[in-house]
Amino acid sequence: VEERYKQYLAGGRAPLPPAALPVNTHGGLSAFGAPWEVPAMYNIIEACDQLSGRAAGRQVPNCRRALVYGNGGVFSASAVAILGAGSRFR
């Protein structure tokens, strides 16, 4: 990820298509606020959209895995989920 970002900065191009650096493909959570537990669900929804091919202009081609992170409270609890697209999702 860091190497891709350095290449992007060196090339002076903007914006990156989601497939070039697939991090926060929904644009991040700035527009969603921070009601603690809810932002993690936006990440899960985005991951499911990516894995099922429903992410429209944000779609990462051939997306098969998604890593989702979320925290709750004041950084008192954290969770990571690794989701995958199998034949049931296509």
Side-chain angles (χ1 to χ4, degrees), residues 24 26 28-29 32-48 67-73 77-81 83:
N24 285 337
H26 58 31
L29 296 172
F32 297 118
W36 298 116
E37 291 80 13
V38 176
M41 288 309 301
Y42 285 115
N43 293 336
I44 293 284
I45 291 167
E46 176 65 14
C48 290
L67 184 141
V68 179
Y69 166 80
N71 62 12
S78 295
V80 172
L83 307 174

Side-chain angles (χ1 to χ4, degrees), residues 40-64:
M41 288 309 301
Y42 285 115
N43 293 336
I44 293 284
I45 291 167
E46 176 65 14
C48 290
D49 285 349
Q50 289 290 339
L51 292 168
S52 63
R54 296 183 311 224
R58 306 178 317 277
Q59 186 65 50
V60 175
N62 303 314
C63 182
R64 296 182 306 145

Side-chain angles (χ1 to χ4, degrees), residues 8-9 18 20 28 33 45 58 61 68 70 72 75 85 88:
Y8 169 71
L9 291 178
I45 291 167
R58 306 178 317 277
V68 179
F75 298 102
R88 294 182 354 192

